[in-house]
Amino acid sequence: MDAALFKKWESVVSRFHELTDQLMDPSVLTQPTQLRKLTKERAELEPGVKLFEAYRDAAKQLEDAAQILADPSAGQELHRMAADESAALERAQRDMEEQAKEFLIPKDPRDEKSLVLEIRAGTGGDEAALFAGQLFRLYTRYAEKKGLKVDTVEASETGIGGYKNIVALIEGKSAYGYFKYEAGVHRVQRVPVTEASGRIHTSTVTVAVMPEVDEVDVKIDPGDLRIDTFCSSGAGGQSVNTTKSAVRITHIPTGVVVSCQDERSQLKNRTKAMRTLRARIVEAEREKQDAEIAQNRKSQVGTGERSEKVRTYNFPQNRVTDHRAGVTLHKLELVMEGDLDDIVQALKAQQQQAETANV
């Protein structure tokens, strides 16, 4: 195990025992607030401490097995048993190390939040719009597999089964943690149904993933909002209802605009639109800060801009490649049905590796 990470694990154990001693101090028992705080911290550390004890116990058993293997008088049968036990203990230790990484590497507090998903057709015209629709279906299936709820906020249909753009709220435990790796440019390579010569076309779709922001996290002055209402309409301008239930909210200082016409109730549309607006405002500020950091880094180390393309979906070859994790899967038909776990796990492991290096 990485030495720095193991040292951090030992410090967790040390802190746990320190808390145990403090909770036995009579002066702490007379302070309910302090008692609750220390008890909560100790409870959060306890799973990691138990894992550490099991890890150290396995290490001791490995030492005992190594002594048997080093003893020529132990006999062939005892050597075989010690070798089998050593192999099992080493596998158990590797599993415990992976569990420890989950525990020791700081979690992104946003992972537990719901999110706003925005998909936009990029280059490729109707073909890009069709793939935007398929990508939304993929994400809907993936969300269902994870027990998440998908609620459409805004959609601009093309009339041929695609979307110029679509915005949705995805709600549930760890929603952002599941979807955060999807942000970026997704490239699709296939022969469009309208292509008579059978040539493969390349189109792109952009995906934005924004963790939902609570009202207490971002203050929006009602005076900074312009709220317009209008009649909902479907593809091609067809009226969905004759009441002004659709809502368009403009945040004047930032120019962020959100529309919602999915519900027949103006109040429900307004509530959805405000949730999306808060997420977009915070994300815009975060992107601004990230851009400044990236520009500073570029001027300091002379690196070029990173490629925007995060994933390629190649239909003729039944192949999907995630360019960040370096993962290629030849099961595109399953991925399009929401089977994203292999890719997400690879990206998660890559992130953990990077974070471990920084511990």
Side-chain angles (χ1 to χ4, degrees):
M1 189 177 189
D2 179 81
L5 202 60
F6 188 78
K7 187 175 181 180
K8 185 174 182 180
W9 201 1
E10 288 182 315
S11 70
V12 167
V13 175
S14 177
R15 175 60 179 164
F16 177 84
H17 292 310
E18 180 184 326
L19 288 167
T20 301
D21 291 340
Q22 288 183 28
L23 288 169
M24 295 175 65
D25 186 335
S27 65
V28 173
L29 297 175
T30 61
Q31 304 177 57
T33 302
Q34 181 72 354
L35 181 63
R36 283 194 299 270
K37 179 182 176 182
L38 297 179
T39 301
K40 181 175 181 293
E41 184 182 353
R42 184 182 182 278
E44 290 172 350
L45 296 180
E46 189 170 9
V49 173
K50 288 184 176 180
L51 190 64
F52 184 83
E53 291 171 350
Y55 187 83
R56 293 301 292 265
D57 184 55
K60 179 65 173 65
Q61 293 179 60
L62 273 170
E63 289 178 5
D64 294 341
Q67 289 180 0
I68 294 173
L69 289 169
D71 182 2
S73 65
Q76 187 176 356
E77 181 63 20
L78 202 55
H79 278 180
R80 184 186 62 78
M81 293 174 62
D84 290 344
E85 185 179 8
S86 292
L89 288 167
E90 286 171 356
R91 285 194 299 271
Q93 278 198 317
R94 285 195 293 271
D95 289 342
M96 285 186 273
E97 286 173 3
E98 290 304 312
Q99 293 177 52
K101 287 178 184 178
E102 292 270 355
F103 178 79
L104 295 169
I105 295 173
K107 293 179 176 62
D108 185 340
R110 303 176 299 173
D111 281 357
E112 296 298 313
K113 291 181 176 288
S114 297
L115 64 106
V116 176
L117 175 74
E118 184 172 330
I119 304 172
R120 290 184 178 274
T123 58
D126 287 344
E127 175 64 11
L130 283 169
F131 189 64
Q134 288 180 296
L135 206 55
F136 180 63
R137 179 178 177 274
L138 183 165
Y139 290 143
T140 300
R141 293 290 180 90
Y142 181 58
E144 289 171 353
K145 291 175 186 287
K146 300 302 178 184
L148 307 174
K149 177 186 175 185
V150 179
D151 205 357
T152 303
V153 174
E154 178 184 357
S156 177
E157 300 180 52
T158 60
I160 58 170
Y163 293 95
K164 293 179 182 177
N165 73 284
I166 183 165
V167 180
L169 284 168
I170 300 182
E171 301 174 276
K173 183 175 174 57
S174 301
Y176 182 71
Y178 288 124
F179 275 87
K180 65 181 179 181
Y181 302 106
E182 297 306 305
V185 176
H186 294 244
R187 182 175 70 171
V188 58
Q189 296 173 322
R190 63 183 175 186
V191 179
V193 292
T194 56
E195 176 55 57
S197 65
R199 289 187 302 115
I200 295 175
H201 284 225
T202 298
S203 306
T204 61
V205 170
T206 62
V207 177
V209 181
M210 298 162 279
E212 189 177 11
V213 182
D214 297 329
E215 288 188 51
V216 295
D217 295 332
V218 56
K219 298 295 183 183
I220 298 177
D221 186 343
D224 290 336
L225 300 177
R226 184 174 70 244
I227 302 176
D228 302 305
T229 58
F230 53 96
C231 293
S232 300
S233 61
Q238 181 182 3
S239 177
V240 173
N241 62 53
T242 56
T243 61
K244 290 189 175 183
S245 61
V247 175
R248 181 185 299 110
I249 303 178
T250 304
H251 185 244
I252 298 170
T254 61
V256 174
V257 181
V258 176
S259 299
C260 185
Q261 60 178 18
D262 190 56
E263 303 285 349
R264 290 190 174 273
S265 161
Q266 185 184 121
L267 179 60
K268 288 182 178 179
N269 282 329
R270 179 168 176 163
T271 300
K272 278 188 183 180
M274 283 300 298
R275 292 173 68 183
T276 305
L277 182 72
R278 284 193 292 271
R280 281 187 178 170
I281 289 173
V282 171
E283 185 67 11
E285 180 60 29
R286 187 192 64 78
E287 287 179 354
K288 179 182 175 183
Q289 292 174 355
D290 286 351
E292 290 174 354
I293 293 170
Q295 184 60 39
N296 289 337
R297 184 178 184 277
K298 181 180 178 182
S299 64
Q300 290 170 15
V301 301
T303 58
E305 294 182 5
R306 67 177 178 85
S307 171
E308 288 185 299
K309 179 180 64 184
V310 296
R311 194 174 300 154
T312 295
Y313 306 77
N314 186 300
F315 279 78
Q317 298 180 16
N318 189 34
R319 169 173 57 82
V320 58
T321 299
D322 192 281
H323 304 286
R324 297 158 297 177
V327 172
T328 295
L329 303 174
H330 291 277
K331 58 172 189 177
L332 179 55
E333 76 285 358
L334 295 178
V335 171
M336 296 307 296
E337 290 297 320
D339 186 3
L340 280 176
D341 283 338
D342 288 343
I343 295 174
V344 171
Q345 287 302 320
L347 289 163
K348 186 177 181 180
Q350 183 186 55
Q351 182 182 18
Q352 285 182 345
Q353 186 176 9
E355 290 174 346
T356 300
N358 294 325
V359 172

